[in-house]
Amino acid sequence: MRELGDAIKAGISADELARLPLPDTYRGAGIYRDDVGIFEGLDSAEKDPRKSIRLGEMTVPEMAPDEVAVAVMASSINFNTVWSSVFEPLPTFIFLERLGRESAWGARHDQDFHVLGSDASGVVLRVGSAVREWKPGDHVVVHPNYVDDQDPFGHDDAMMAANQRAWGFETNFGGLADMTVVKANQLMPKPAHLTWEEASVNALTASTSYRMLVGRNGARMKLGDVVLIWGASGGIGIYAAQMALRTGAIPVGVVSSPEKVELMHRMGVEHVIDRKAEGYEFWDGDVQNEKEWRRFGKKIRELVGEDPDIVFEHPGRSTMGASVYVAKRGGTIITCAATSGYTIEYDNRHLWMKLKTIKASHFANYRECWETNRLIDKGLIQPCISDVYRLEDAGEAAHQVHSNLHEGKLAILCLADEEGLGVTDREKRERIGEHNINAFRRHSRDVHSQPA
Ligand code: NAP
């Protein structure tokens, strides 16, 4: 695999690349079935992804006719990798077993080593016999929507397919690896002005935020809308904030430190609430604390003079009561997750009496991913890397996300073992501006490595 990586970095032609033999195995970061249960009885904070995410060798799977083999140059950490690494809410091996029972091709995924990762940028190595749009040598990014096109319910909106899955979470052969095998309809052209690592961090979280706010399946944000964004410097929130600014909406970002407030201001979000400094306690023991919802709502009115048209919701149990309360009459609470707990409590009177809507959103269909990639390609939305790690430090990077020590996105170098590679349109990069593309970087361009 190293040789393939070196050949790509040296600019090998597409024809030569197609002739190079694929290796039998490749390096991947993932979890082992034998480790399920190692965190039993521990508190959430004690469950440490550094103990469960390990490097291993994966056998290169046989490729189905609609699949593509991709040399992964870079990938990123998403929260689903954190869920997998702590075996919550379910060990992901259960998902692999389910997929394994579906078909002979599905059976390839049911293994004792689960290579994780739901993002990747890289180079096409091989295409299956049914693939028309892609060829060896293409520079691509991979989105994680893994759907079976034989399900009729997926043909209006692929997210409605009964067997829709997240690649690298509910399937094996994820992106935290030197190679992956994905469906051809997961591929999108890599923005030529971005490095491998910059291109690798966007597909999952930016597309999720696009569907939640911009696309026709979400809250349909428009010019002037007040949009309350929880975790506005996190993986999905930071793209939500950019999209709100670009649309001419009025984002109100909620974050939890002065540094994150500063980051929000730097990116142009004027109205920011530091939830830690404010000390909100939306739960009073076992009971929701309506006084605190009111204090939060008052703060938003002080900042923007009105209530939010849209609440971008994902923390779940700890914030949903407040989100329902503060939304404007007729407003929408759009939710895609429940990081702090799935069993939600809110006061329904505030929902029905004021004709609010709670709307569910989950990842994004191919078209929504494609539109999001187009925005990134045009430089309208920037990649949100704060740090870059090596593949062998994927566990450390997942730990940073699990412990909320990060901002934006953490990229992982796979075959691209140094930063700054992969740009094929320098003129466009200059036009869009290095300072815009790297606006979220915490460190200079050194790969963040673990202290010895
Ligand atoms: P992330 O990078 O960890 O960011 C989440 C942010 O939420 C954190 O930075 C934190 O910001 C804030 N937060 C965490 N706990 C909170 C709490 N109890 N109250 C208020 N704010 C809290 O994660 P992400 O990538 O943005 O993902 C967020 C969630 O969405 C995860 O559960 C993930 O699995 C889910 N997700 C779902 C989909 C989907 O397709 N359905 C797609 C992507 C992500 P502050 O501490 O600064 O406030």
Side-chain angles (χ1 to χ4, degrees), residues 172-314:
N172 212 324
F173 318 123
L176 289 167
D178 287 339
M179 200 191 130
T180 184
V181 169
V182 297
K183 286 182 182 283
N185 62 15
Q186 289 178 251
L187 298 187
M188 305 186 290
K190 174 190 164 290
H193 66 289
L194 297 181
T195 63
W196 295 116
E197 60 278 10
E198 290 160 358
S200 74
V201 297
N202 310 298
L204 189 147
T205 50
S207 307
T208 301
S209 304
Y210 180 93
R211 181 175 171 109
M212 288 176 80
L213 290 180
V214 184
R216 68 183 167 99
N217 293 303
R220 309 198 74 159
M221 172 176 64
K222 64 180 190 320
L223 179 68
D225 278 352
V226 174
V227 185
L228 178 74
I229 303 171
W230 290 104
S233 71
I236 53 176
I238 205 158
Y239 290 100
Q242 285 194 69
M243 288 174 193
L245 288 169
R246 276 287 177 195
T247 308
I250 304 163
V252 179
V254 185
V255 293
S256 64
S257 71
E259 293 76 25
K260 291 179 177 181
V261 172
E262 160 63 18
L263 171 70
M264 287 287 107
H265 286 157
R266 260 193 287 129
M267 68 186 274
V269 178
E270 187 185 339
H271 311 294
V272 189
I273 298 174
D274 181 340
R275 67 181 170 99
K276 265 220 178 110
E278 295 286 340
Y280 294 117
E281 296 207 8
F282 298 130
W283 284 90
D284 183 2
D286 270 348
V287 184
Q288 293 270 15
N289 188 344
E290 185 163 339
K291 251 166 80 187
E292 285 292 88
W293 298 347
R294 256 187 263 132
R295 186 162 76 88
F296 182 54
K298 197 164 162 244
K299 179 81 190 169
I300 298 167
R301 284 187 185 175
E302 270 167 28
L303 289 172
V304 286
E306 53 186 310
D307 298 328
D309 297 276
I310 299 170
V311 181
F312 185 88
E313 169 59 54
H314 51 92

Side-chain angles (χ1 to χ4, degrees), residues 302-333:
E302 270 167 28
L303 289 172
V304 286
E306 53 186 310
D307 298 328
D309 297 276
I310 299 170
V311 181
F312 185 88
E313 169 59 54
H314 51 92
R317 185 170 170 79
S318 59
T319 54
M320 191 61 147
S323 294
V324 170
Y325 179 82
V326 300
K328 190 177 279 179
R329 182 179 279 266
T332 302
I333 300 99

Side-chain angles (χ1 to χ4, degrees), residues 21-34:
L22 293 188
D24 296 330
T25 65
Y26 64 92
R27 196 177 59 133
I31 50 174
Y32 286 88
R33 198 187 292 268
D34 282 351

Side-chain angles (χ1 to χ4, degrees), residues 61-70 99 102-109 120 124 126-128 130-134 140-151 158 161 163-168 170-174 180-188 366 370:
E62 190 187 341
M63 231 169 55
D66 62 346
E67 288 182 340
V68 174
V70 177
L99 175 54
E102 255 178 33
S103 68
W105 291 116
R108 295 169 302 167
H109 293 256
V124 173
R126 295 283 189 281
V127 299
V131 175
R132 287 172 292 109
E133 304 291 337
W134 306 95
V140 294
V141 288
V142 184
H143 74 73
N145 193 18
Y146 183 94
V147 281
D148 177 350
D149 63 5
Q150 291 174 34
D151 181 337
N163 56 9
Q164 180 277 331
R165 292 182 161 88
W167 159 69
E170 293 161 293
T171 81
N172 212 324
F173 318 123
T180 184
V181 169
V182 297
K183 286 182 182 283
N185 62 15
Q186 289 178 251
L187 298 187
M188 305 186 290
Y366 196 9
W370 195 276

Side-chain angles (χ1 to χ4, degrees), residues 61-84:
E62 190 187 341
M63 231 169 55
D66 62 346
E67 288 182 340
V68 174
V70 177
V72 179
M73 303 306 281
S75 181
S76 91
I77 299 295
N78 285 295
F79 214 91
N80 66 8
T81 293
V82 174
W83 292 125
S84 299

Side-chain angles (χ1 to χ4, degrees), residues 111-130:
Q111 302 198 28
D112 293 336
F113 179 43
H114 184 184
V115 175
L116 304 174
S118 298
D119 267 320
S121 64
V123 181
V124 173
L125 294 171
R126 295 283 189 281
V127 299
S129 56

